[in-house]
Amino acid sequence: MIQRRTRFGGHLLRSFRDASSTSSSSSSSSKIGGYFGLASQASTSLQQACVSTNRDAEFANLDWDNLGFGMVPTDYMYIMKCSKGESFEHGQLCHFGNIELSPAAGVLNYGQGAYEGTKAYRKEDGRLLLFRPDQNAIRLKNSAERMCMPSPSIDQFVDALKQTVLANKRWVPPPGKGSLYIRPLIMGSGEILGLSAAPEYTFLIYVSPVGNYFKEGLAPLNLYVEEEFDRASRGGTGGVKSITNYAPGLKALTRAKNRGFSDVLYLDSMNKKNIEEVSSCNIFVVKGNSISTPATNGTILAGITRKSIVDIARDHGYQVEEGTITVDELIHADEVFCTGTAVGVAPVGSITYQGKRMEFKTGAQAVSQQLYMTLEGIKKGVIEDKKGWIVEIG
C-alpha cells in the first residue's frame, strides 16, 4: 500500500493506491490517486459538511453596491477527475485555492481545455436560482468532444453546480446587487510530452460574485469592427468554448480599448464582409419588427443567452431571423445589441467601421431594453418561468 499526500486547495488530503492491485472494480479516482482516492462516502461527507457550513451563513463582507466583473476568492470549489478512456465518477467540494499541475500537463502545453459560464441569482425570499444549467452541460460536452476530452453527464454537471453554489451561498449577492458567476471548466491535467490527448482530466468549478461585465455598466457600448485579425475560421473551434479561442483576441481587444472602444466586432475570415460576433458575446441587429443575428454555422458560439433572447423576442411578436448579415447592412439598422452570460443584454450605441461611425437607438424604449427586462425578470424569479428554464436550488 502506497500512501501519497497531495496539497490541493490550501488543505492537505490523503490518498492511497495499491501499487499491485489489478482489480477491475477500482474506480478511476483510485487509479489516478490524489485526493480523489478518498472513498465516495468520505467525499459525500465532505460535500455535506461544506454545504451545511454555509447554507444559512450571513452575506460575505463585500461592498455589494460596487461590484465589478473581477475575481473575488470565495469559500469552496468543486473538483472531479478521471483517466483517459474512462468516465467522470466521483467529485467533491474542497476549499478554494491554487491547484497543482505538472509542467507537462496537456492544458499548459497544448491548450487542451474548455470552459463554461453561467450565473446564480438570489430571490427576494433568499432562494437561489440557476438559469438553464442543462444547456451549459450540453455545450460543455460538445466543446470537450471537439477537444478530445471526456465530460460529466448532464446530471453530474447540474448537481456539481448546485453543490458549489450552495457551499458558497454567502457570496451570492443580494437581489439587485449582482449575481454569482459560475465557471465550470475541463482540462487535460495529465502529463503529456508529445502532441496527444492527456492521460488524465480534471473537471473544476469555481465561483465569484460579479456586477456588470463592461466598465460602462448599462451604458451603450461602442464597438470597433476588426479587419486585421480573425476570431475563427471554418473547421476551427469558433463554435465551441475552447480555451484556445480567447487569448488570440486579446491583441485586437486591447488595441480597440486603447482607442476608446468597448469591444471588437469580428468579421468572417473568408470574405471579411459578414459580421460574426463580438469577442465576448453574440450580436443582434434590429430593423423595425425584424431582429436578425448571425447563424451559428461552426464559427460562432451558440450562446445560451442568445438562444433565450431568440425565444423571448418571438414571444414578444418580433420576427427573428438567423442568417448572414453583412457589415454594410448595419448602416440601415435601428438598433444593435449584444448578448452573453457575462454581459446579459447590452445595447450598442455605435459601431465604427473603416473610419465611419454608425449610431443606433438606445434607451428605455429600445427593443433591447424590453428583451433585457424580460430575460432578467425570468432569471431572478420576478417574471413567471413558463419555459422550464429556472432551477431552484435552495
Side-chain angles (χ1 to χ4, degrees):
M1 184 74 72
I2 297 174
Q3 177 176 339
R4 183 194 302 177
R5 295 164 66 87
T6 304
R7 183 170 297 278
F8 206 106
H11 66 154
L12 204 59
L13 297 169
R14 291 186 230 166
S15 65
F16 299 88
R17 176 165 51 176
D18 186 342
S20 61
S21 173
T22 57
S23 170
S24 61
S25 63
S26 297
S27 69
S28 62
S29 59
S30 64
K31 291 177 183 176
I32 61 180
Y35 68 88
F36 294 97
L38 294 170
S40 60
Q41 181 177 356
S43 174
T44 301
S45 297
L46 176 58
Q47 293 169 4
Q48 292 173 345
C50 291
V51 172
S52 62
T53 298
N54 288 281
R55 185 184 297 275
D56 301 313
E58 297 294 332
F59 286 106
N61 185 23
L62 285 182
D63 182 0
W64 297 108
D65 292 319
N66 293 290
L67 275 181
F69 198 94
M71 185 61 205
V72 177
T74 53
D75 294 326
Y76 296 98
M77 58 186 184
Y78 182 96
I79 305 180
M80 179 165 53
K81 287 195 175 188
C82 78
S83 295
K84 183 179 179 181
E86 298 183 350
S87 300
F88 285 103
E89 293 182 8
H90 304 295
Q92 67 182 36
L93 292 162
C94 64
H95 291 290
F96 177 87
N98 293 338
I99 64 174
E100 197 171 279
L101 287 173
S102 165
V107 67
L108 297 181
N109 292 265
Y110 300 114
Q112 192 184 21
Y115 77 92
E116 274 299 315
T118 185
K119 291 179 177 179
Y121 299 85
R122 187 186 295 269
K123 291 184 67 175
E124 290 290 346
D125 62 8
R127 288 180 292 174
L128 305 182
L129 308 176
L130 295 175
F131 182 74
R132 308 189 76 175
D134 60 313
Q135 296 299 305
N136 292 98
I138 292 169
R139 192 170 64 180
L140 186 63
K141 178 178 176 61
N142 292 336
S143 298
E145 287 179 353
R146 179 64 177 84
M147 304 300 288
C148 296
M149 298 187 294
S151 60
S153 68
I154 293 177
D155 288 343
Q156 285 177 316
F157 180 96
V158 174
D159 181 63
L161 254 63
K162 291 178 179 179
Q163 290 186 47
T164 310
V165 172
L166 284 173
N168 292 287
K169 184 173 183 178
R170 71 193 188 100
W171 298 96
V172 183
K177 303 295 184 180
S179 58
L180 186 72
Y181 187 85
I182 309 168
R183 172 58 57 83
L185 61 87
I186 298 178
M187 58 182 170
S189 51
E191 297 178 340
I192 189 75
L193 187 59
L195 179 57
S196 179
E200 176 188 292
Y201 297 91
T202 299
F203 171 68
L204 184 151
I205 304 175
Y206 67 89
V207 300
S208 178
V210 297
N212 290 313
Y213 181 79
F214 291 107
K215 67 178 182 180
E216 294 90 343
L218 297 177
L221 307 178
N222 298 304
L223 303 181
Y224 176 81
V225 177
E226 176 59 46
E227 294 184 86
E228 179 180 356
F229 299 108
D230 298 327
R231 177 192 169 273
S233 60
R234 299 248 178 217
T237 59
V240 300
K241 284 188 77 69
S242 161
I243 63 171
T244 57
N245 288 350
Y246 296 91
L250 290 176
K251 188 166 187 176
L253 179 60
T254 300
R255 185 170 62 181
K257 288 190 172 183
N258 288 340
R259 295 174 179 174
F261 296 99
S262 309
D263 211 327
V264 170
L265 173 59
Y266 287 97
L267 302 177
D268 72 291
S269 62
M270 184 175 295
N271 301 310
K272 293 287 189 179
K273 285 295 181 183
N274 305 320
I275 66 172
E276 293 217 319
E277 65 176 273
V278 180
S279 61
S280 58
C281 43
N282 297 116
I283 191 165
F284 286 78
V285 177
V286 181
K287 179 64 178 179
N289 195 55
S290 176
I291 300 177
S292 303
T293 189
T296 54
N297 54 11
T299 59
I300 297 171
L301 186 67
I304 295 165
T305 306
R306 172 192 180 277
K307 181 178 182 179
S308 303
I309 284 296
V310 167
D311 289 346
I312 290 171
R314 285 173 175 158
D315 289 345
H316 279 286
Y318 292 99
Q319 179 181 346
V320 182
E321 298 178 357
E322 301 178 63
T324 300
I325 305 173
T326 67
V327 66
D328 293 327
E329 291 179 60
L330 292 175
I331 196 171
H332 303 295
D334 298 329
E335 292 181 42
V336 176
F337 62 89
C338 297
T339 65
T341 297
V343 307
V345 179
V348 175
S350 72
I351 297 178
T352 299
Y353 174 56
Q354 295 184 341
K356 297 180 181 178
R357 180 183 171 102
M358 297 170 279
E359 297 189 349
F360 309 101
K361 177 183 176 181
T362 60
Q365 303 305 314
V367 172
S368 62
Q369 182 67 10
Q370 178 187 20
L371 301 179
Y372 166 80
M373 294 299 290
T374 302
L375 178 64
E376 290 300 300
I378 295 172
K379 285 182 176 180
K380 297 172 183 178
V382 177
I383 295 177
E384 181 184 0
D385 172 29
K386 298 180 179 180
K387 297 179 180 294
W389 289 347
I390 298 298
V391 175
E392 186 176 305
I393 59 174

